[in-house]
Amino acid sequence: MQTGNLLLLLVVMIAGAYYMGHRRSFALARPLGGIRHLHSLPFYYAMRTAIWCAIPALVVLGAWLIFDDTLIRVTVMDSLPADSQPVDASSANLLLNQIGNVASGAIAASEVSPAVAAAAEKLNSLRSLNRMALAVVVIVVAMLGAAWGWLKISPQMRARQQVEKVLQTLFMLSATIAILTTVGILMSVMFESVRFFGKVPATDFLFGLQWSPQTALRADQVASEGAFGAIPLFMGTLLISAIALLVAVPVGLMSAIYLAEYAPPKVRSFAKPALEVLAGVPTVVYGFFAALTVAPVIRQLGESIGLDVASESALAAGLVMGVMIIPFVSSLADDVITAVPQALRDASLGLGATRSETIKKVIFPAALPGIMGGILLAASRAIGETMIVVMAAGLAANLTVNPLEAVTTVTVQIVTLLTGDQEFDSAKTLAAFALGLMLFITTLLLNVVALHIVKKYREQYD
Amino acid sequence: MDTAEKFDDKTPRSDTPASQSEGEQAMENSTRYPEQTIGSPYVDNAKMSMRDVDVFYGDKQAIHGVSLDIGKNEVVALIGPSGCGKSTFLRCLNRMNDTIDICQVKGSLHLEDQDLYDPKLDVVELRARVGMVFQKPNPFPKSIYDNVAYGPRIHGLANKKYDLDEIVETSLQKAGLWNEVKDRLHSPGTGLSGGQQQRLCIARTIAVSPEVVLMDEPCSALDPIATAKIEELIAELSESYTIAIVTHSMQQAARVSNRTAYFHLGRLVEMNDTETVFTKPEHDLTEAYITGRFG
Ligand SMILES: Nc1ncnc2c1ncn2[C@@H]1O[C@H](COP(=O)(O)OP(=O)(O)O)[C@@H](O)[C@H]1O
Ligand SMILES: [Mg+2]
């Protein structure tokens, strides 16, 4: 039986277990005078039965699926005659692939050695046996579990607590998965980074001023050693993020002040979501807007006043990125400005301050920590942004602070290092992981600081 | 004084809105409300005079034709059940109601000769002359010094740091807070106790040398000892300022005020010497309220 079908059957069995549990709890309650004489509601007895049916069966199924392939492979390899046993790991892999292909019919049995053909046959028979056994075992376990759960139903049983416990564990497992994924990503990035630092000294990477990751493909090629100084990339990231923040912070703050302090409710209810749409536009759309619309305009403007502007420039990318992160600043700033108590506004207005004096002297300082949090979140978003920069800022790793030149950023280099055919353990590809690690640490720090500030601010008025 | 003459005409204005509210008024008048405010709402040396004040929140009328004077250096207490419009009326006196979009004020309101709702009037200036203390102490999250210096700085009252220091010190002294905070002028105002915070707010208000101080239930968030201190302070302040105070506590009104105005559902029912109001209330509603039958 296919695993998919087996799962479907299992779902039906669980539903059946639920139904039976429900029936039995009612049957038990009737002679006692109704379900209020049961410890828990019938729903909980039914759920408990269903859980007993589902969980052991799913655990068995999962464990089986994890191990069966390895077991089958080992068995097949062992069955090969001694003279056709592979000599090393990679030839073992090749042989296994060959056997697999023969078994699935992709290679005709006549084209391979009789030993391999026999192994393929064995593989096939083992597989079908395996599937049968799996189905039988899972169904039996599910039935036993359901029966156990069903039999144990009694008016005194604390089914509610047990079901709650299971659900609680389920929620906890879900949360753990998210956390473990993060840890896993971090670990894998770290692992590869360590390998990179084995090839390129960390000091060269952290303090080197030149980035040209091209290494010789063939031994006879005359090519540079490859330089992995990350400074130009971080400078590029910094430059573009700075331009973006120069756009986003003033515009975002002022629009937040307008929304929170001046806009009539009708305008506000329309304008706030409209602003937030900016954050939802796919970045690739911003990217071609930057490359095809903004960059040429900047170039023309620059030429008209006699400046030499590269067709891909940090300025174009930064400006468009700035527009993209406006809502990060404005939305959070609006929230914190609105959270400033009305009493403080009244106090200031009552003393004869004008509205803008009140904003400048009372509301803004009171909301400042929250606003800072919003700005840091926007900054970490700008640092991680890739698509706009790929399309509008270029790939040239120039070490410059001139916004009219092409620059490149950490994220862009990660993309270019990893796309295309690459040897996976070259310094070039591994460099991507080191860059990723640096980026991860930077944005993580920014986020931690930002969240901390926002949280501290929230506590102030609650 | 010719402003007083201007207001001598006490007949209700013909421009009271909507006939439906006239009908309502007629019915209520016949049952509970007096034709006119009972007692003596007017005085000779009026600092502020209000005539036929109507206040609307959108379509809803919160104040119905209230007329009264607040005399110079007098403490006027506004009392009445919750929601009867005491705060609304008080907030008209320095145009704090401007901050509520739907709020509309009609009638004539004067501070001496100045029409409060004159379109040419600068509210900034008005609020420097008529200060306000709020129900809940609301110091800015700044230092004690900066709290008091806030108003003088906005109005440019001090040219030198020295002048400002002086204003801060005298204001705090007048508010009876100086001795308690003189060693920590630069620690946050929000770190003070509730009663101290309210006295800080009073210091902040008088730092701009207003002529009138409005207080909206200034003690309702305070404990009895802090309340007693504020009441003492009000008595002292009344020597140099004109004060209008909204209060929920009858004893407080009796202790601190010269005259008392009793509001009921947006109308001024009775206004008289405090003693008269509390010992010989004329109207049933006033009597019911001060004897604690409702409120
Ligand atoms: N901002 C507002 N918007 C609408 N109605 C209001 C507002 N403030 C007060 N009101 C209404 O005006 C009436 C008087 O309120 P208020 O002046 O606060 O009474 P008091 O201070 O005497 O308890 C109440 O009916 C109240 O519901
Ligand atoms: Mg009130």
Side-chain angles (χ1 to χ4, degrees), chain B residues 195-253:
Chain B
Q196 289 174 325
Q197 285 188 13
Q198 194 62 303
R199 278 181 284 147
L200 177 62
C201 293
I202 292 175
R204 183 176 67 183
T205 306
I206 59 186
V208 294
S209 318
E211 297 156 43
V212 182
V213 178
L214 310 173
M215 301 186 172
D216 191 350
E217 300 187 31
C219 303
S220 64
L222 305 182
D223 62 72
I225 293 172
T227 301
K229 281 208 174 128
I230 303 260
E231 286 177 6
E232 239 170 76
L233 179 59
I234 292 171
E236 280 166 30
L237 292 177
S238 69
E239 286 168 18
S240 21
Y241 305 94
T242 301
I243 296 174
I245 178 172
V246 171
T247 174
H248 250 120
S249 146
M250 245 80 68
Q251 291 88 336
Q252 184 167 73

Coordinates of all heavy atoms in Angstrom, one line a residue, chain B residues 195-253:
Chain B
G195 N 0.3 63.2 45.1 CA 0.0 64.6 45.6 C 1.1 65.6 45.2 O 0.8 66.7 44.8
Q196 N 2.4 65.1 45.2 CA 3.4 66.0 44.8 C 3.3 66.3 43.3 O 3.6 67.4 42.9 CB 4.8 65.3 45.1 CG 5.1 65.3 46.6 CD 6.4 64.5 46.9 OE1 6.7 63.5 46.2 NE2 7.2 64.9 47.8
Q197 N 3.0 65.3 42.6 CA 2.8 65.5 41.1 C 1.7 66.5 40.8 O 1.9 67.4 40.0 CB 2.4 64.2 40.4 CG 3.5 63.2 40.3 CD 3.2 62.0 39.4 OE1 2.1 62.0 38.7 NE2 4.0 61.0 39.5
Q198 N 0.6 66.5 41.6 CA -0.4 67.4 41.3 C 0.0 68.8 41.7 O -0.3 69.8 41.0 CB -1.7 67.0 42.1 CG -3.0 67.7 41.7 CD -3.4 67.5 40.2 OE1 -2.6 67.8 39.3 NE2 -4.5 67.0 40.0
R199 N 0.8 68.9 42.8 CA 1.3 70.3 43.2 C 2.3 70.7 42.1 O 2.4 71.9 41.9 CB 1.9 70.2 44.6 CG 0.8 70.4 45.6 CD 1.4 70.4 47.0 NE 1.7 69.1 47.5 CZ 2.8 68.8 48.3 NH1 3.5 69.8 48.8 NH2 3.0 67.5 48.6
L200 N 3.1 69.8 41.6 CA 4.0 70.1 40.5 C 3.2 70.7 39.3 O 3.6 71.7 38.7 CB 4.8 68.9 40.0 CG 5.8 69.1 38.9 CD1 6.8 70.1 39.2 CD2 6.4 67.8 38.5
C201 N 2.1 70.1 39.0 CA 1.2 70.6 37.9 C 0.7 71.9 38.2 O 0.6 72.8 37.3 CB 0.1 69.6 37.6 SG 0.7 68.0 37.0
I202 N 0.4 72.2 39.5 CA -0.1 73.5 39.8 C 1.1 74.5 39.7 O 0.9 75.6 39.1 CB -0.6 73.5 41.3 CG1 -1.9 72.7 41.3 CG2 -0.9 74.9 41.8 CD1 -2.5 72.5 42.7
A203 N 2.3 74.1 40.1 CA 3.4 75.0 40.0 C 3.7 75.3 38.5 O 3.9 76.5 38.1 CB 4.7 74.4 40.6
R204 N 3.5 74.3 37.7 CA 3.7 74.5 36.2 C 2.7 75.5 35.7 O 3.0 76.3 34.8 CB 3.5 73.1 35.6 CG 3.8 73.0 34.1 CD 3.7 71.6 33.6 NE 2.3 71.1 33.8 CZ 2.0 69.8 33.5 NH1 2.9 69.0 33.0 NH2 0.7 69.4 33.6
T205 N 1.5 75.4 36.2 CA 0.4 76.3 35.7 C 0.7 77.7 36.1 O 0.5 78.6 35.3 CB -0.9 75.8 36.2 OG1 -1.1 74.4 35.8 CG2 -2.1 76.6 35.6
I206 N 1.1 77.9 37.4 CA 1.2 79.3 37.8 C 2.6 79.9 37.4 O 2.8 81.1 37.5 CB 1.1 79.4 39.3 CG1 2.1 78.6 40.1 CG2 -0.4 79.1 39.8 CD1 1.8 78.6 41.6
A207 N 3.5 79.0 36.8 CA 4.8 79.6 36.4 C 4.6 80.6 35.2 O 5.5 81.4 35.0 CB 5.7 78.4 35.9
V208 N 3.5 80.5 34.5 CA 3.3 81.5 33.4 C 2.5 82.7 33.9 O 2.0 83.5 33.1 CB 2.7 80.9 32.2 CG1 3.6 79.8 31.6 CG2 1.3 80.2 32.5
S209 N 2.3 82.8 35.2 CA 1.6 83.9 35.9 C 0.2 84.1 35.2 O -0.1 85.2 34.7 CB 2.3 85.2 35.8 OG 3.7 85.1 36.1
P210 N -0.6 83.1 35.3 CA -2.0 83.3 34.8 C -2.8 84.2 35.7 O -2.4 84.5 36.8 CB -2.5 81.9 34.8 CG -1.9 81.2 35.9 CD -0.5 81.8 36.0
E211 N -3.9 84.7 35.2 CA -4.8 85.5 36.0 C -5.9 84.6 36.6 O -6.3 84.8 37.7 CB -5.5 86.6 35.2 CG -4.4 87.6 34.7 CD -4.9 88.3 33.4 OE1 -6.1 88.7 33.4 OE2 -4.1 88.4 32.5
V212 N -6.3 83.6 35.9 CA -7.3 82.6 36.3 C -6.7 81.2 36.3 O -6.0 80.9 35.4 CB -8.5 82.7 35.4 CG1 -9.6 81.7 35.9 CG2 -9.1 84.1 35.3
V213 N -7.0 80.4 37.3 CA -6.6 79.0 37.3 C -7.9 78.2 37.3 O -8.7 78.3 38.2 CB -5.7 78.7 38.5 CG1 -5.3 77.2 38.5 CG2 -4.4 79.5 38.5
L214 N -8.0 77.3 36.4 CA -9.1 76.3 36.3 C -8.6 75.0 36.8 O -7.6 74.5 36.5 CB -9.6 76.2 34.9 CG -9.9 77.5 34.1 CD1 -10.2 77.1 32.6 CD2 -11.0 78.2 34.7
M215 N -9.4 74.4 37.7 CA -9.0 73.1 38.3 C -10.2 72.1 38.1 O -11.3 72.4 38.6 CB -8.7 73.2 39.7 CG -7.6 74.2 40.0 SD -7.1 74.1 41.7 CE -5.7 75.1 41.7
D216 N -9.9 71.0 37.4 CA -10.9 70.0 37.2 C -10.7 68.8 38.1 O -9.9 68.0 37.8 CB -10.9 69.6 35.7 CG -12.2 68.8 35.4 OD1 -12.9 68.4 36.3 OD2 -12.4 68.5 34.2
E217 N -11.5 68.8 39.2 CA -11.4 67.7 40.2 C -9.9 67.4 40.5 O -9.4 66.3 40.3 CB -12.0 66.4 39.7 CG -13.5 66.7 39.4 CD -14.2 65.4 39.1 OE1 -13.8 64.3 39.6 OE2 -15.2 65.4 38.4
P218 N -9.2 68.4 41.0 CA -7.7 68.3 41.1 C -7.3 67.3 42.2 O -6.2 66.8 42.3 CB -7.2 69.7 41.5 CG -8.4 70.3 42.2 CD -9.6 69.8 41.5
C219 N -8.3 66.9 43.1 CA -7.9 66.0 44.2 C -8.5 64.6 44.0 O -8.4 63.7 44.9 CB -8.4 66.6 45.5 SG -7.7 68.2 45.8
S220 N -9.2 64.3 42.9 CA -10.0 63.1 42.9 C -9.1 61.9 42.8 O -9.5 60.8 43.1 CB -10.9 63.1 41.7 OG -10.2 63.2 40.5
A221 N -7.8 62.1 42.4 CA -6.9 60.9 42.3 C -5.9 60.9 43.5 O -5.0 60.1 43.5 CB -6.1 61.0 41.0
L222 N -6.2 61.7 44.6 CA -5.3 61.8 45.7 C -5.8 61.3 47.0 O -7.0 61.2 47.2 CB -4.9 63.3 45.9 CG -4.4 64.0 44.6 CD1 -4.0 65.4 45.0 CD2 -3.2 63.2 44.0
D223 N -4.9 60.9 47.9 CA -5.3 60.5 49.2 C -5.7 61.7 50.1 O -5.4 62.8 49.7 CB -4.2 59.6 49.9 CG -3.0 60.5 50.1 OD1 -3.0 61.3 51.0 OD2 -2.0 60.3 49.3
P224 N -6.3 61.5 51.2 CA -6.8 62.6 52.1 C -5.8 63.6 52.5 O -6.0 64.8 52.5 CB -7.4 61.9 53.3 CG -7.8 60.5 52.8 CD -6.8 60.2 51.8
I225 N -4.6 63.1 52.8 CA -3.5 64.0 53.3 C -3.1 64.9 52.1 O -3.0 66.2 52.3 CB -2.3 63.3 53.9 CG1 -2.8 62.6 55.2 CG2 -1.2 64.2 54.2 CD1 -1.8 61.6 55.8
A226 N -2.8 64.3 51.0 CA -2.4 65.1 49.8 C -3.6 66.1 49.4 O -3.3 67.2 49.1 CB -2.1 64.2 48.6
T227 N -4.8 65.6 49.6 CA -6.0 66.5 49.3 C -6.0 67.7 50.2 O -6.1 68.8 49.7 CB -7.3 65.7 49.5 OG1 -7.2 64.6 48.6 CG2 -8.5 66.6 49.2
A228 N -5.7 67.5 51.5 CA -5.7 68.6 52.4 C -4.7 69.6 52.1 O -4.9 70.8 52.1 CB -5.4 68.0 53.9
K229 N -3.5 69.1 51.6 CA -2.4 70.0 51.2 C -2.8 70.9 50.0 O -2.6 72.1 50.0 CB -1.2 69.2 50.8 CG -0.4 68.8 52.0 CD 1.1 68.6 51.7 CE 1.9 68.3 52.9 NZ 2.8 67.1 52.7
I230 N -3.5 70.3 49.1 CA -3.9 71.0 47.9 C -5.0 72.0 48.3 O -5.0 73.2 47.8 CB -4.5 70.0 46.8 CG1 -3.4 69.0 46.4 CG2 -5.0 70.8 45.6 CD1 -2.7 69.2 45.2
E231 N -5.9 71.6 49.2 CA -6.9 72.6 49.6 C -6.3 73.8 50.3 O -6.7 74.9 50.0 CB -7.9 71.9 50.5 CG -8.8 70.9 49.8 CD -9.8 70.2 50.7 OE1 -9.8 70.5 51.9 OE2 -10.5 69.3 50.2
E232 N -5.3 73.6 51.1 CA -4.6 74.7 51.7 C -4.0 75.6 50.7 O -4.1 76.8 50.8 CB -3.4 74.1 52.5 CG -3.4 74.4 54.0 CD -2.3 73.5 54.6 OE1 -1.1 73.8 54.5 OE2 -2.6 72.5 55.2
L233 N -3.4 74.9 49.7 CA -2.7 75.6 48.6 C -3.7 76.5 47.9 O -3.5 77.7 47.5 CB -2.1 74.6 47.7 CG -1.4 75.2 46.5 CD1 -0.3 76.1 46.9 CD2 -0.8 74.0 45.7
I234 N -4.9 76.0 47.6 CA -6.0 76.7 46.9 C -6.3 78.0 47.7 O -6.4 79.1 47.1 CB -7.2 75.9 46.6 CG1 -6.9 74.7 45.7 CG2 -8.4 76.7 46.1 CD1 -7.9 73.7 45.5
A235 N -6.4 77.8 49.0 CA -6.8 79.0 49.8 C -5.7 80.1 49.7 O -6.0 81.3 49.5 CB -6.9 78.6 51.3
E236 N -4.4 79.6 49.7 CA -3.3 80.6 49.5 C -3.4 81.3 48.1 O -3.2 82.5 48.0 CB -2.0 79.9 49.7 CG -1.6 79.8 51.2 CD -0.4 78.8 51.3 OE1 0.4 78.7 50.4 OE2 -0.4 78.1 52.3
L237 N -3.6 80.4 47.1 CA -3.5 80.9 45.7 C -4.6 81.9 45.5 O -4.4 82.8 44.7 CB -3.6 79.8 44.7 CG -2.4 78.8 44.7 CD1 -2.7 77.7 43.7 CD2 -1.2 79.5 44.3
S238 N -5.7 81.8 46.2 CA -6.9 82.6 45.9 C -6.6 84.1 46.2 O -7.3 85.0 45.8 CB -8.1 82.2 46.6 OG -7.9 82.4 48.0
E239 N -5.5 84.3 47.0 CA -5.1 85.7 47.2 C -4.6 86.4 45.9 O -4.8 87.6 45.7 CB -4.0 85.8 48.3 CG -4.6 85.5 49.7 CD -3.5 85.3 50.7 OE1 -2.4 85.7 50.4 OE2 -3.8 84.7 51.8
S240 N -3.9 85.6 45.1 CA -3.4 86.3 43.9 C -4.1 85.8 42.6 O -3.8 86.4 41.5 CB -1.9 86.0 43.8 OG -1.5 84.9 44.6
Y241 N -4.8 84.7 42.6 CA -5.4 84.3 41.4 C -7.0 84.1 41.6 O -7.5 84.0 42.6 CB -4.9 82.9 41.0 CG -3.4 82.9 40.9 CD1 -2.6 82.5 42.0 CD2 -2.8 83.2 39.7 CE1 -1.2 82.4 41.9 CE2 -1.4 83.2 39.6 CZ -0.6 82.8 40.7 OH 0.7 82.8 40.6
T242 N -7.6 84.2 40.4 CA -9.0 83.8 40.4 C -9.1 82.3 40.1 O -8.4 81.9 39.2 CB -9.7 84.6 39.3 OG1 -9.5 86.0 39.6 CG2 -11.2 84.3 39.2
I243 N -10.0 81.6 40.8 CA -9.9 80.2 40.7 C -11.3 79.6 40.4 O -12.3 80.0 41.1 CB -9.3 79.5 41.9 CG1 -7.9 79.9 42.1 CG2 -9.4 78.0 41.9 CD1 -7.2 79.4 43.4
A244 N -11.5 78.7 39.5 CA -12.7 78.0 39.3 C -12.3 76.5 39.5 O -11.4 76.0 38.8 CB -13.3 78.2 37.9
I245 N -13.0 75.8 40.4 CA -12.7 74.5 40.7 C -13.9 73.6 40.6 O -15.0 73.9 41.1 CB -12.0 74.3 42.1 CG1 -11.7 72.9 42.4 CG2 -12.9 75.0 43.2 CD1 -10.9 72.7 43.7
V246 N -13.7 72.5 39.8 CA -14.8 71.5 39.7 C -14.5 70.4 40.8 O -13.3 70.0 41.0 CB -14.8 70.7 38.4 CG1 -15.7 69.5 38.4 CG2 -15.1 71.7 37.3
T247 N -15.4 70.1 41.6 CA -15.2 69.1 42.6 C -16.3 68.2 42.8 O -17.5 68.5 42.6 CB -14.8 69.7 43.9 OG1 -14.6 68.7 44.9 CG2 -15.8 70.7 44.4
H248 N -16.0 66.9 43.2 CA -17.0 66.0 43.5 C -17.4 66.0 45.0 O -18.3 65.4 45.4 CB -16.5 64.6 43.1 CG -17.3 64.0 42.0 ND1 -16.6 63.7 40.8 CD2 -18.6 63.8 41.7 CE1 -17.5 63.3 39.9 NE2 -18.7 63.4 40.5
S249 N -16.4 66.6 45.8 CA -16.6 66.5 47.2 C -17.3 67.8 47.7 O -16.8 68.9 47.6 CB -15.2 66.3 47.8 OG -15.2 66.9 49.1
M250 N -18.4 67.6 48.4 CA -19.2 68.7 48.9 C -18.4 69.4 50.0 O -18.4 70.6 50.0 CB -20.5 68.2 49.5 CG -21.7 68.7 48.8 SD -22.0 67.7 47.3 CE -22.5 66.2 48.0
Q251 N -17.7 68.6 50.8 CA -16.9 69.2 51.9 C -15.8 70.1 51.3 O -15.5 71.2 51.8 CB -16.2 68.2 52.7 CG -17.2 67.4 53.6 CD -17.7 66.1 52.8 OE1 -17.7 66.1 51.6 NE2 -18.1 65.1 53.5
Q252 N -15.2 69.6 50.2 CA -14.2 70.4 49.6 C -14.7 71.7 49.1 O -14.2 72.8 49.3 CB -13.5 69.6 48.4 CG -12.4 70.4 47.8 CD -11.6 69.5 46.9 OE1 -12.1 69.1 45.8 NE2 -10.5 69.0 47.3
A253 N -15.9 71.7 48.4 CA -16.5 72.9 47.9 C -16.7 73.8 49.1 O -16.4 75.0 49.0 CB -17.8 72.6 47.1

